[in-house]
Amino acid sequence: QLQASGGGLVQAGGSLRLSCKASGNIGSIFNMGWYRQAPGTKRALVARITNGGTTEYEDSVEGRFTISRDNTKNTIYLQMNNLKPEDTGVYYCNAQIQILPGVAPYSNWGQGTQVTVSS
């Protein structure tokens, strides 16, 4: 399972750090990422990181957000700086988890953590 934490209420220009830890029956973890869902919108990719450390960001957060990963802890982080009101939403972590070699990895979602940025 994935356990996300670190959300909260912050003023525009502030910072937050999200964490997401994978636990349970894990063989290998491939891509991990953060997705955001604002009210009335679909869940959309914010940032993604491969198990080799290659990162990808949604255009609006490029240069403000940093995704990182600690493979020894099966944990990813999202450092969010210079937050804007449009960053508000529920942030979900996702991991592509392979239980055993040769078995197709499956997509696992965390429970979501609320981030609210006030203007």
Side-chain angles (χ1 to χ4, degrees):
Q1 65 177 13
L2 298 178
Q3 182 67 44
S5 61
L9 172 64
V10 65
Q11 288 188 329
S15 297
L16 285 173
R17 188 188 193 218
L18 306 183
S19 300
C20 176
K21 181 177 177 59
S23 62
N25 190 8
I26 298 171
S28 299
I29 305 177
F30 297 100
N31 290 352
M32 298 183 77
W34 291 97
Y35 291 71
R36 176 175 63 222
Q37 187 166 20
T41 69
K42 293 182 178 180
R43 194 175 300 184
L45 178 69
V46 174
R48 180 163 50 203
I49 186 167
T50 69
N51 55 356
T54 300
T55 59
E56 175 186 356
Y57 296 94
E58 191 267 329
D59 288 347
S60 70
V61 308
E62 185 83 51
R64 299 188 296 120
F65 291 11
T66 301
I67 188 170
S68 59
R69 177 170 179 162
D70 185 339
N71 289 329
T72 66
K73 298 180 180 179
N74 290 335
T75 300
I76 59 169
Y77 307 93
L78 186 68
Q79 178 65 43
M80 305 185 292
N81 297 329
N82 190 22
L83 281 160
K84 302 177 179 181
E86 52 264 40
D87 296 320
T88 294
V90 179
Y91 283 69
Y92 296 90
C93 61
N94 175 270
Q96 304 295 315
I97 296 175
Q98 183 186 49
I99 296 176
L100 292 171
V103 176
Y106 70 98
S107 183
N108 193 302
W109 292 92
Q111 84 283 10
T113 184
Q114 176 70 45
V115 171
T116 303
V117 184
S118 63
S119 58

